[in-house]
Amino acid sequence: MNVPKHWRAIPERYRMEAGKCRKCGEISFPSRLICPACNHNEFDLVNLSGKGKLLTHTIIRTAPEGFGDFAPYAVGIVELEEGVRIMGQITDCDPEKLKTGDKLTSKFRRMNEEGKTGMIMYSYKFVPDIGI
Amino acid sequence: MRDVAIIGIGIIKFGELWEKSLRDMAVEAALNCLTDAGTDRADSVTIGCMSSGVFNGQEHLASLIPDYLGKNNIPATRVESACASGGLAVRNAYMEVASGLSDYSLAIGVEKMTDVSTGMATYALATACDRDYEAFHGITFPGLYAMLARAHMERYDTTREQLAQVAVKNHSNGALNPFAQYPFPVTQEAVLSSTMIADPLRLLDCSPITDGAAAVLLTTVEEAKKFKSSPMVIIRGVGSATDTLALSQRKDMLELGAVKKAVHRALKMAGKKIQDIDFAEVHDCFTISEILVMETIGIVKPGQGGPATIDGLTALDGKFPLNPSGGLKSKGHPVGASGVAQVYEAVSQLRGESGKRQLNNPKLALTQNMGGSGGSCVCHVLEVKD
Ligand SMILES: [Zn+2]
């Protein structure tokens, strides 16, 4: 991944910036140019709370290129308080003990180093509210 | 639109084909198809291939394949819709013939996956999910379907044994298929004790990494009457649909919206209901996929896929056989070839040429080929003419 590609993603990965439709109020993450609910095209940028609950998850044991050092790690789909659903890693916990419905909060974390460029990537990950 | 028939089918043995290149595999399948048809006429060719750029460092298959096929002046199109690329190639060839642009059109599906490491292959496959919002977070395809499996198990009490039975059933069928990559039976115990890949899915819940190719030759029903060596198989319905790319963006992740719409469109065009279908080749990239698909296309009610599989509904001798070929699970899953290989099996069964795995006199078949975690789907309804 080159620098501009990473740079473009900073508002989403660092601040969880989403687009709220000015017509119907639907929140899209990532933000879009066309509202998937009503096809309107004007949005306000909002920062998501990062608080939500776990809908489903898995524990990755055979990892793709670039993630081998991290396995096993948990990845899940989290439904935020705003109704937005986001896929992300779940960290700072024993992944074996995660359960559907667990309350989670997003944290700003290091993802990995990008291949040959050596660029260190950061993003949101989720952490259970009750330590497990 | 003109009515379209399939007059030729070709396939090569699936597996880790170290001695064969991408171009050799595609040409071999195409030649087998043209030999089966009894003509070498093809006015156009469509190549379904997901990711030769990442797997082989080779794009521009729309020049390479007709070149090595000895037909380097015909129009060629390469189509890509992840694991549904093959189904889409057949659909494109259908449109060529139905529209009148071509009288004879060849569809080839091909993927050469074993020239790269497993880590690199996993990366290549993950390009079919949302790169920036799914793959960036370290998810894999087994991981995406594992999340679906967990959700299905929690909502419907689907069990690990029910999932495993899909693999047991498909390997039992594949053991009778000389073109299968893994033509041997597996037991429940073997599936349930295989290496965990992405909880709760294990190695034997997953379709393998495969080299393979398949081809079909289409022409008009009128032209097809000239070829009397085997029963005529007619494409009665084609259906294609899409859904959100990212799994997290679906309102209900257990409802495969693209599959539902694509099957509905294909059946509607054919003027048939799902109950009219004698058997289907469905996209069992993971054990949970076959259960989700059989529920989505209405063979059973949501939640009943697991119990129905245990009861033998979808077995070779069941009331609604699924994947008589062994499916992607046992036959292998060369991603861009799988959709064409499904049509190969459907035609072979309808003609009564499937040897030890031959079903009892089927008349109407459905193929269902999907991309990614269900972001795209292509279906065909095929009927053999009496
Ligand atoms: Zn809106």
Side-chain angles (χ1 to χ4, degrees):
Chain A
M1 191 181 290
N2 61 18
V3 173
K5 181 165 181 181
H6 186 55
W7 172 77
R8 283 199 303 275
I10 282 178
E12 285 151 9
R13 290 185 186 152
Y14 289 25
R15 298 193 293 276
M16 295 185 94
E17 198 170 276
K20 184 172 183 178
C21 176
R22 282 189 189 163
K23 191 173 168 198
C24 77
E26 173 93 358
I27 298 175
S28 293
F29 182 86
S31 62
R32 297 174 178 231
L33 297 176
I34 297 168
C35 174
C38 76
N39 279 3
H40 192 64
N41 61 0
E42 292 173 293
F43 298 86
D44 292 314
L45 293 175
V46 294
N47 291 346
L48 298 174
S49 66
K51 287 182 164 301
K53 62 173 198 239
L54 188 58
L55 288 185
T56 186
H57 73 281
T58 184
I59 303 170
I60 300 291
R61 296 178 193 269
T62 300
E65 201 101 317
F67 287 86
D69 295 345
F70 300 90
Y73 55 90
V75 183
I77 295 177
V78 180
E79 185 169 68
L80 300 182
E81 286 173 346
E82 296 91 337
V84 175
R85 292 173 174 190
I86 293 183
M87 184 173 289
Q89 281 189 30
I90 304 149
T91 190
D92 293 0
C93 65
D94 178 354
E96 303 277 357
K97 291 184 178 157
L98 283 170
K99 290 190 308 295
T100 299
D102 281 353
K103 290 197 159 51
L104 310 164
T105 302
S106 68
K107 306 281 180 193
F108 183 61
R109 287 295 156 86
R110 195 179 101 143
M111 288 300 295
N112 54 17
E113 276 178 37
E114 177 65 21
K116 292 190 182 101
T117 68
M119 190 164 60
I120 299 171
M121 318 275 276
Y122 295 88
S123 180
Y124 50 84
K125 291 187 185 179
F126 292 92
V127 175
D129 290 353
I130 300 171
I132 54 171
Chain B
M1 291 206 300
R2 307 191 293 180
D3 288 334
V4 179
I6 299 177
I7 57 163
I9 56 173
I11 198 164
I12 62 171
K13 162 105 176 141
F14 286 6
E16 293 185 38
L17 310 177
W18 296 311
E19 75 288 5
K20 284 183 181 155
S21 66
L22 174 79
R23 66 189 75 180
D24 290 345
M25 296 192 312
V27 170
E28 198 180 319
L31 289 179
N32 289 344
C33 170
L34 295 172
T35 303
D36 175 70
T39 175
D40 66 353
R41 184 171 167 194
D43 305 330
S44 59
V45 59
T46 308
I47 301 107
C49 181
M50 174 183 157
S51 201
S52 58
V54 181
F55 284 124
N56 320 108
Q58 178 72 61
E59 306 287 16
H60 208 180
L61 301 190
S63 170
L64 174 72
I65 303 306
D67 179 4
Y68 277 73
L69 199 55
K71 295 186 182 300
N72 59 12
N73 60 357
I74 63 172
T77 309
R78 184 248 181 109
V79 295
E80 185 274 315
S81 192
C83 319
S85 301
L88 202 56
V90 177
R91 183 176 188 270
N92 198 64
Y94 173 88
M95 294 194 298
E96 283 275 350
V97 175
S99 67
L101 269 177
S102 299
D103 285 336
Y104 288 74
S105 194
L106 186 63
I108 306 173
V110 64
E111 208 78 49
K112 174 78 190 165
M113 302 172 73
T114 66
D115 276 354
V116 294
S117 67
T118 302
M120 195 60 195
T122 306
Y123 170 88
L125 292 170
T127 62
C129 66
D130 193 322
R131 187 78 238 157
D132 292 341
Y133 302 96
E134 293 184 316
F136 176 81
H137 296 281
I139 197 64
T140 59
F141 262 99
L144 287 168
Y145 279 92
M147 286 196 266
L148 290 173
R150 184 185 300 277
H152 201 272
M153 291 166 91
E154 290 180 354
R155 189 185 297 177
Y156 297 117
D157 295 324
T158 298
T159 64
R160 265 298 343 182
E161 288 71 20
Q162 291 166 353
L163 292 176
Q165 188 59 29
V166 174
V168 171
K169 186 262 297 174
N170 286 347
H171 270 275
S172 156
N173 296 352
L176 307 174
N177 185 347
F179 299 109
Q181 179 175 16
Y182 295 123
F184 49 75
V186 299
T187 61
Q188 278 265 343
E189 299 71 52
V191 179
L192 296 177
S193 63
S194 60
T195 307
M196 190 71 89
I197 300 293
D199 310 37
L201 296 184
R202 294 173 179 272
L203 182 65
L204 290 180
D205 288 299
C206 309
S207 56
I209 288 169
T210 309
D211 299 332
V216 293
L217 182 66
L218 278 53
T219 187
T220 62
V221 166
E222 276 312 304
E223 281 288 312
K225 287 173 184 164
K226 295 178 187 167
F227 301 86
K228 301 204 184 288
S229 59
S230 49
M232 193 197 300
V233 174
I234 301 171
I235 300 181
R236 291 294 187 199
V238 298
S240 179
T242 50
D243 200 349
T244 67
L245 178 62
L247 186 59
S248 62
Q249 306 260 319
R250 310 219 180 117
K251 293 272 183 281
D252 178 356
M253 72 180 102
L254 293 182
E255 182 161 302
L256 297 171
V259 176
K260 195 170 199 165
K261 288 190 192 78
V263 168
H264 175 77
R265 284 170 188 161
L267 287 171
K268 190 177 172 194
M269 181 173 166
K272 303 287 183 187
K273 295 190 179 67
I274 189 71
Q275 293 79 9
D276 300 329
I277 301 288
D278 292 318
F279 73 98
E281 282 282 308
V282 298
H283 199 92
D284 61 323
C285 48
F286 299 92
T287 49
I288 181 64
S289 325
E290 183 167 310
I291 287 175
L292 285 168
V293 167
M294 64 193 280
E295 294 174 359
T296 300
I297 69 182
I299 297 173
V300 292
K301 290 197 172 70
Q304 291 305 304
T309 303
I310 294 281
D311 291 346
L313 177 76
T314 56
L316 211 53
D317 59 356
K319 282 197 177 125
F320 204 125
L322 292 182
N323 290 321
S325 70
L328 315 183
K329 179 70 202 74
S330 166
K331 186 175 53 182
H333 185 22
V335 283
S338 285
V340 183
Q342 288 180 329
V343 174
Y344 173 96
E345 178 71 12
V347 173
S348 162
Q349 289 281 352
L350 291 171
R351 287 177 177 178
E353 296 173 351
S354 292
K356 288 181 184 165
R357 65 184 192 286
Q358 179 62 48
L359 299 166
N360 182 23
N361 202 22
K363 299 290 179 205
L364 201 61
L366 172 73
T367 63
Q368 178 270 329
N369 182 209
M370 67 184 166
S373 58
S376 61
C377 182
V378 184
C379 294
H380 292 92
V381 174
L382 307 174
E383 187 171 32
V384 66
K385 202 167 179 236
D386 287 321

Coordinates of all heavy atoms in Angstrom, one line a residue, chain B residues 308-378:
Chain B
A308 N -31.9 -31.4 7.4 CA -32.2 -32.0 6.2 C -31.0 -32.7 5.6 O -31.1 -33.8 4.9 CB -32.7 -30.9 5.2
T309 N -29.8 -32.1 5.8 CA -28.6 -32.7 5.3 C -28.3 -34.1 6.0 O -28.0 -35.1 5.4 CB -27.4 -31.8 5.4 OG1 -27.7 -30.6 4.8 CG2 -26.1 -32.4 4.9
I310 N -28.5 -34.1 7.3 CA -28.3 -35.3 8.1 C -29.3 -36.3 7.7 O -29.0 -37.5 7.6 CB -28.5 -35.0 9.6 CG1 -27.4 -34.1 10.2 CG2 -28.7 -36.3 10.4 CD1 -26.1 -34.8 10.5
D311 N -30.6 -35.9 7.3 CA -31.6 -36.8 6.9 C -31.4 -37.4 5.5 O -32.2 -38.2 5.1 CB -33.0 -36.2 7.0 CG -33.4 -35.9 8.4 OD1 -32.8 -36.5 9.3 OD2 -34.4 -35.1 8.6
G312 N -30.5 -36.9 4.8 CA -30.2 -37.4 3.4 C -30.9 -36.8 2.3 O -30.9 -37.3 1.2
L313 N -31.6 -35.7 2.6 CA -32.4 -35.0 1.5 C -31.6 -34.7 0.3 O -32.0 -34.9 -0.9 CB -33.1 -33.7 2.0 CG -33.8 -32.9 1.0 CD1 -35.2 -33.5 0.7 CD2 -34.0 -31.5 1.4
T314 N -30.3 -34.3 0.5 CA -29.5 -33.8 -0.5 C -28.4 -34.8 -1.0 O -27.5 -34.4 -1.8 CB -28.7 -32.5 -0.1 OG1 -28.0 -32.8 1.1 CG2 -29.7 -31.4 0.2
A315 N -28.5 -36.0 -0.5 CA -27.6 -37.1 -1.0 C -27.8 -37.5 -2.4 O -28.9 -37.2 -3.0 CB -27.7 -38.3 0.0
L316 N -26.9 -38.2 -3.0 CA -27.1 -38.7 -4.3 C -28.4 -39.5 -4.5 O -29.0 -39.4 -5.6 CB -25.9 -39.6 -4.7 CG -25.3 -39.7 -6.1 CD1 -25.0 -38.3 -6.6 CD2 -24.1 -40.5 -6.2
D317 N -28.8 -40.2 -3.5 CA -30.1 -41.0 -3.6 C -31.2 -40.3 -2.9 O -32.3 -40.8 -2.6 CB -29.9 -42.4 -3.1 CG -29.5 -42.4 -1.7 OD1 -29.2 -41.3 -1.1 OD2 -29.3 -43.5 -1.1
G318 N -31.0 -39.0 -2.5 CA -32.0 -38.2 -1.8 C -33.1 -37.6 -2.7 O -33.0 -37.8 -4.0
K319 N -34.1 -36.9 -2.2 CA -35.1 -36.3 -3.0 C -34.7 -35.1 -3.8 O -35.2 -34.8 -4.8 CB -36.3 -35.9 -2.1 CG -37.2 -37.1 -1.7 CD -38.5 -36.6 -1.1 CE -39.4 -37.8 -0.8 NZ -39.9 -37.7 0.6
F320 N -33.6 -34.4 -3.2 CA -33.1 -33.2 -3.9 C -31.6 -33.3 -3.8 O -31.0 -32.6 -3.0 CB -33.7 -31.9 -3.2 CG -33.7 -30.8 -4.2 CD1 -34.8 -30.0 -4.4 CD2 -32.5 -30.3 -4.8 CE1 -34.9 -28.9 -5.3 CE2 -32.5 -29.3 -5.7 CZ -33.7 -28.6 -5.9
P321 N -31.0 -34.0 -4.7 CA -29.5 -34.2 -4.7 C -28.8 -32.8 -4.9 O -29.2 -32.1 -5.9 CB -29.2 -35.1 -5.8 CG -30.5 -35.9 -6.1 CD -31.6 -34.9 -5.8
L322 N -27.9 -32.5 -4.1 CA -27.0 -31.3 -4.3 C -25.6 -31.7 -4.5 O -25.1 -32.6 -3.8 CB -27.1 -30.4 -3.1 CG -28.4 -29.7 -2.8 CD1 -28.3 -28.8 -1.6 CD2 -28.9 -28.9 -4.0
N323 N -25.0 -31.2 -5.5 CA -23.6 -31.4 -5.8 C -23.2 -32.9 -6.1 O -22.4 -33.4 -5.4 CB -22.7 -30.8 -4.7 CG -22.7 -29.3 -4.7 OD1 -22.7 -28.7 -5.8 ND2 -22.7 -28.7 -3.6
P324 N -23.9 -33.5 -7.1 CA -23.5 -34.9 -7.4 C -22.1 -35.0 -7.9 O -21.5 -36.0 -7.8 CB -24.5 -35.2 -8.6 CG -25.1 -33.9 -9.0 CD -25.1 -33.0 -7.8
S325 N -21.5 -33.9 -8.3 CA -20.1 -33.9 -8.8 C -19.1 -34.0 -7.6 O -17.9 -34.3 -7.9 CB -19.8 -32.5 -9.5 OG -19.8 -31.5 -8.5
G326 N -19.6 -33.8 -6.4 CA -18.7 -33.7 -5.3 C -18.5 -32.3 -4.8 O -18.0 -32.0 -3.8
G327 N -19.1 -31.4 -5.6 CA -19.1 -29.9 -5.2 C -17.7 -29.4 -5.2 O -16.7 -30.0 -5.5
L328 N -17.6 -28.1 -4.8 CA -16.3 -27.4 -4.7 C -15.5 -28.1 -3.6 O -14.3 -28.1 -3.7 CB -16.5 -26.0 -4.3 CG -17.6 -25.2 -5.1 CD1 -17.5 -23.7 -4.7 CD2 -17.4 -25.3 -6.6
K329 N -16.2 -28.7 -2.7 CA -15.5 -29.3 -1.5 C -14.6 -30.5 -1.9 O -13.5 -30.6 -1.5 CB -16.6 -29.8 -0.5 CG -16.1 -30.5 0.7 CD -15.4 -29.5 1.6 CE -14.4 -30.2 2.6 NZ -13.2 -30.7 1.9
S330 N -15.1 -31.4 -2.7 CA -14.3 -32.6 -3.1 C -13.7 -32.5 -4.5 O -12.6 -32.9 -4.7 CB -15.2 -33.8 -3.0 OG -14.7 -35.0 -3.6
K331 N -14.5 -31.9 -5.4 CA -14.0 -31.8 -6.8 C -12.9 -30.8 -6.9 O -12.0 -30.9 -7.7 CB -15.2 -31.3 -7.7 CG -14.9 -31.3 -9.1 CD -16.1 -31.0 -10.0 CE -16.8 -29.7 -9.5 NZ -18.0 -29.4 -10.3
G332 N -12.9 -29.8 -5.9 CA -11.9 -28.7 -5.9 C -12.6 -27.4 -6.4 O -13.6 -27.4 -7.0
H333 N -11.9 -26.3 -6.0 CA -12.5 -25.0 -6.3 C -11.4 -24.1 -6.9 O -10.9 -23.2 -6.3 CB -13.0 -24.4 -5.0 CG -13.7 -23.1 -5.1 ND1 -14.3 -22.7 -6.3 CD2 -14.0 -22.1 -4.2 CE1 -14.9 -21.5 -6.1 NE2 -14.7 -21.1 -4.8
P334 N -11.2 -24.3 -8.3 CA -10.4 -23.4 -9.0 C -11.3 -22.2 -9.3 O -12.1 -22.2 -10.2 CB -10.0 -24.1 -10.3 CG -11.0 -25.2 -10.4 CD -11.7 -25.4 -9.1
V335 N -11.2 -21.1 -8.5 CA -12.3 -20.1 -8.4 C -12.9 -19.7 -9.7 O -14.2 -19.7 -9.8 CB -11.9 -18.9 -7.5 CG1 -11.9 -19.3 -6.0 CG2 -10.5 -18.4 -7.8
G336 N -12.2 -19.3 -10.7 CA -12.8 -18.8 -11.9 C -13.4 -19.9 -12.8 O -14.2 -19.7 -13.6
A337 N -13.0 -21.2 -12.5 CA -13.5 -22.3 -13.3 C -14.7 -23.0 -12.7 O -15.5 -23.6 -13.4 CB -12.4 -23.4 -13.4
S338 N -15.0 -22.7 -11.4 CA -16.0 -23.5 -10.7 C -17.4 -23.3 -11.3 O -18.2 -24.3 -11.4 CB -16.1 -23.1 -9.2 OG -15.0 -23.8 -8.6
G339 N -17.8 -22.1 -11.7 CA -19.1 -21.9 -12.3 C -19.3 -22.6 -13.6 O -20.4 -23.1 -13.9
V340 N -18.3 -22.7 -14.4 CA -18.4 -23.5 -15.7 C -18.4 -25.0 -15.4 O -19.1 -25.7 -16.0 CB -17.2 -23.1 -16.6 CG1 -17.3 -23.9 -17.9 CG2 -17.1 -21.6 -16.8
A341 N -17.6 -25.4 -14.4 CA -17.6 -26.8 -14.0 C -19.0 -27.3 -13.5 O -19.4 -28.4 -13.7 CB -16.5 -27.1 -13.0
Q342 N -19.7 -26.4 -12.8 CA -21.0 -26.7 -12.4 C -21.9 -27.0 -13.6 O -22.7 -27.9 -13.6 CB -21.6 -25.5 -11.6 CG -21.0 -25.3 -10.2 CD -21.7 -24.1 -9.5 OE1 -22.1 -23.2 -10.1 NE2 -21.7 -24.2 -8.2
V343 N -21.8 -26.1 -14.6 CA -22.6 -26.3 -15.8 C -22.2 -27.6 -16.5 O -23.1 -28.4 -17.0 CB -22.6 -25.1 -16.7 CG1 -23.3 -25.3 -18.1 CG2 -23.1 -23.9 -16.0
Y344 N -20.9 -27.9 -16.5 CA -20.4 -29.2 -17.1 C -21.1 -30.3 -16.4 O -21.6 -31.2 -17.1 CB -18.9 -29.3 -16.8 CG -18.3 -30.7 -17.2 CD1 -17.8 -30.9 -18.5 CD2 -18.4 -31.8 -16.4 CE1 -17.3 -32.1 -18.9 CE2 -18.0 -33.0 -16.8 CZ -17.4 -33.2 -18.0 OH -17.0 -34.4 -18.4
E345 N -21.2 -30.3 -15.1 CA -21.8 -31.5 -14.4 C -23.3 -31.5 -14.7 O -23.8 -32.6 -14.9 CB -21.6 -31.3 -12.9 CG -22.2 -32.4 -12.0 CD -21.5 -33.7 -12.1 OE1 -20.4 -33.8 -12.7 OE2 -22.1 -34.7 -11.7
A346 N -23.9 -30.4 -14.7 CA -25.4 -30.4 -14.9 C -25.7 -31.0 -16.3 O -26.6 -31.8 -16.4 CB -25.9 -29.0 -14.9
V347 N -24.9 -30.6 -17.3 CA -25.2 -31.1 -18.7 C -24.8 -32.6 -18.7 O -25.6 -33.4 -19.3 CB -24.3 -30.4 -19.7 CG1 -24.4 -31.0 -21.1 CG2 -24.7 -28.9 -19.8
S348 N -23.7 -33.0 -18.1 CA -23.3 -34.4 -18.1 C -24.4 -35.3 -17.4 O -24.8 -36.4 -18.0 CB -22.0 -34.5 -17.3 OG -21.8 -35.9 -16.9
Q349 N -25.0 -34.8 -16.3 CA -26.0 -35.6 -15.7 C -27.3 -35.6 -16.5 O -27.9 -36.7 -16.6 CB -26.4 -34.9 -14.3 CG -25.3 -35.1 -13.2 CD -25.3 -36.4 -12.6 OE1 -26.2 -37.2 -12.8 NE2 -24.3 -36.7 -11.7
L350 N -27.7 -34.5 -17.1 CA -28.9 -34.4 -17.9 C -28.8 -35.3 -19.2 O -29.8 -35.9 -19.6 CB -29.2 -33.0 -18.4 CG -29.6 -32.0 -17.2 CD1 -29.7 -30.6 -17.7 CD2 -31.0 -32.4 -16.7
R351 N -27.5 -35.5 -19.7 CA -27.3 -36.4 -20.8 C -27.3 -37.8 -20.4 O -27.3 -38.7 -21.3 CB -26.0 -36.0 -21.5 CG -25.9 -34.8 -22.3 CD -24.5 -34.6 -22.8 NE -24.2 -33.5 -23.6 CZ -23.0 -33.3 -24.1 NH1 -22.0 -34.1 -23.8 NH2 -22.7 -32.3 -24.9
G352 N -27.1 -38.1 -19.1 CA -27.0 -39.4 -18.6 C -25.6 -40.0 -18.8 O -25.4 -41.2 -19.0
E353 N -24.6 -39.1 -18.8 CA -23.2 -39.5 -19.0 C -22.3 -39.5 -17.8 O -21.1 -39.4 -17.9 CB -22.6 -38.6 -20.1 CG -23.3 -38.7 -21.4 CD -22.8 -37.6 -22.4 OE1 -22.0 -36.7 -22.0 OE2 -23.2 -37.7 -23.6
S354 N -22.9 -39.5 -16.6 CA -22.1 -39.3 -15.4 C -21.6 -40.5 -14.7 O -21.2 -40.5 -13.5 CB -22.9 -38.4 -14.4 OG -23.0 -37.1 -14.9
G355 N -21.7 -41.7 -15.4 CA -21.1 -42.9 -14.8 C -21.6 -43.3 -13.5 O -22.8 -43.3 -13.3
K356 N -20.7 -43.5 -12.5 CA -21.1 -44.1 -11.2 C -21.9 -43.1 -10.4 O -22.6 -43.5 -9.4 CB -19.8 -44.5 -10.4 CG -19.2 -45.8 -11.0 CD -18.0 -46.1 -10.1 CE -17.2 -47.3 -10.7 NZ -15.9 -47.5 -10.1
R357 N -21.8 -41.8 -10.7 CA -22.5 -40.8 -9.9 C -23.8 -40.4 -10.6 O -24.4 -39.4 -10.2 CB -21.6 -39.7 -9.5 CG -21.2 -38.8 -10.7 CD -20.2 -37.7 -10.4 NE -20.0 -36.8 -11.5 CZ -19.3 -37.1 -12.6 NH1 -18.7 -38.2 -12.7 NH2 -19.2 -36.1 -13.5
Q358 N -24.2 -41.1 -11.7 CA -25.3 -40.7 -12.5 C -26.6 -40.8 -11.7 O -26.9 -41.8 -11.0 CB -25.5 -41.6 -13.7 CG -26.7 -41.3 -14.6 CD -26.6 -39.9 -15.2 OE1 -25.6 -39.5 -15.8 NE2 -27.7 -39.1 -15.1
L359 N -27.4 -39.7 -11.7 CA -28.7 -39.6 -11.1 C -29.7 -40.3 -12.0 O -29.5 -40.5 -13.2 CB -29.1 -38.2 -10.9 CG -28.2 -37.4 -10.0 CD1 -28.4 -35.9 -10.1 CD2 -28.3 -37.8 -8.5
N360 N -30.9 -40.7 -11.4 CA -31.9 -41.4 -12.1 C -32.7 -40.5 -13.0 O -33.7 -39.9 -12.6 CB -32.8 -42.1 -11.1 CG -33.8 -43.0 -11.8 OD1 -33.7 -43.4 -13.0 ND2 -35.0 -43.2 -11.1
N361 N -32.3 -40.4 -14.3 CA -33.1 -39.8 -15.3 C -33.5 -38.4 -15.0 O -34.7 -38.0 -15.2 CB -34.3 -40.7 -15.6 CG -34.9 -40.4 -17.0 OD1 -34.2 -39.9 -17.9 ND2 -36.2 -40.7 -17.1
P362 N -32.6 -37.5 -14.6 CA -33.0 -36.1 -14.3 C -33.3 -35.3 -15.6 O -32.7 -35.6 -16.7 CB -31.7 -35.5 -13.7 CG -30.6 -36.3 -14.3 CD -31.1 -37.7 -14.5
K363 N -34.3 -34.4 -15.5 CA -34.7 -33.6 -16.7 C -34.4 -32.1 -16.5 O -34.2 -31.4 -17.5 CB -36.2 -33.7 -16.8 CG -36.7 -35.1 -17.1 CD -36.3 -35.6 -18.5 CE -36.7 -37.0 -18.8 NZ -35.9 -37.6 -19.8
L364 N -34.3 -31.6 -15.3 CA -34.2 -30.2 -15.0 C -33.1 -29.9 -14.0 O -33.3 -30.5 -12.9 CB -35.6 -29.6 -14.6 CG -35.8 -28.1 -14.8 CD1 -35.7 -27.7 -16.2 CD2 -37.2 -27.8 -14.2
A365 N -32.2 -29.1 -14.3 CA -31.1 -28.9 -13.3 C -30.9 -27.4 -13.0 O -31.2 -26.5 -13.9 CB -29.8 -29.4 -13.9
L366 N -30.4 -27.1 -11.8 CA -30.1 -25.7 -11.5 C -28.6 -25.6 -11.1 O -28.1 -26.5 -10.4 CB -30.9 -25.3 -10.2 CG -30.6 -23.9 -9.6 CD1 -31.0 -22.8 -10.4 CD2 -31.2 -23.8 -8.2
T367 N -27.9 -24.6 -11.6 CA -26.6 -24.3 -11.1 C -26.6 -23.0 -10.4 O -27.3 -22.0 -10.8 CB -25.5 -24.2 -12.3 OG1 -25.9 -23.1 -13.1 CG2 -25.5 -25.5 -13.0
Q368 N -25.8 -22.9 -9.3 CA -25.8 -21.7 -8.4 C -24.4 -21.4 -8.1 O -23.7 -22.2 -7.4 CB -26.7 -21.9 -7.2 CG -26.7 -20.7 -6.3 CD -25.6 -20.7 -5.2 OE1 -25.2 -21.8 -4.8 NE2 -25.1 -19.6 -4.8
N369 N -23.8 -20.3 -8.6 CA -22.4 -19.9 -8.4 C -22.3 -18.6 -7.8 O -23.0 -17.6 -8.3 CB -21.8 -19.9 -9.9 CG -20.4 -19.6 -10.0 OD1 -19.9 -19.1 -11.0 ND2 -19.6 -20.0 -9.0
M370 N -21.6 -18.4 -6.6 CA -21.6 -17.1 -6.0 C -20.2 -16.6 -5.8 O -19.2 -17.4 -5.7 CB -22.4 -17.1 -4.7 CG -21.9 -17.9 -3.6 SD -23.1 -17.7 -2.2 CE -22.5 -19.1 -1.2
G371 N -20.1 -15.3 -5.7 CA -18.8 -14.6 -5.5 C -18.6 -14.1 -4.1 O -19.6 -13.6 -3.5
G372 N -17.4 -14.2 -3.6 CA -17.1 -13.6 -2.2 C -18.0 -14.2 -1.2 O -18.2 -15.4 -1.1
S373 N -18.5 -13.4 -0.3 CA -19.4 -13.8 0.8 C -20.8 -13.7 0.4 O -21.7 -13.7 1.2 CB -19.1 -13.1 2.1 OG -19.3 -11.7 1.9
G374 N -21.1 -13.7 -0.9 CA -22.4 -13.6 -1.5 C -22.7 -12.3 -2.1 O -23.8 -11.9 -2.3
G375 N -21.6 -11.5 -2.4 CA -21.8 -10.2 -3.1 C -22.3 -10.3 -4.5 O -22.8 -9.3 -5.1
S376 N -22.1 -11.5 -5.1 CA -22.6 -11.7 -6.5 C -23.1 -13.1 -6.7 O -22.5 -14.0 -5.9 CB -21.6 -11.3 -7.6 OG -20.5 -12.1 -7.4
C377 N -24.0 -13.4 -7.6 CA -24.4 -14.8 -7.8 C -24.9 -14.9 -9.2 O -25.6 -14.0 -9.7 CB -25.6 -15.1 -6.8 SG -26.1 -16.8 -7.0
V378 N -24.6 -16.0 -9.8 CA -25.1 -16.3 -11.2 C -25.7 -17.7 -11.2 O -25.1 -18.7 -10.7 CB -24.0 -16.3 -12.2 CG1 -24.5 -16.5 -13.7 CG2 -23.2 -14.9 -12.2

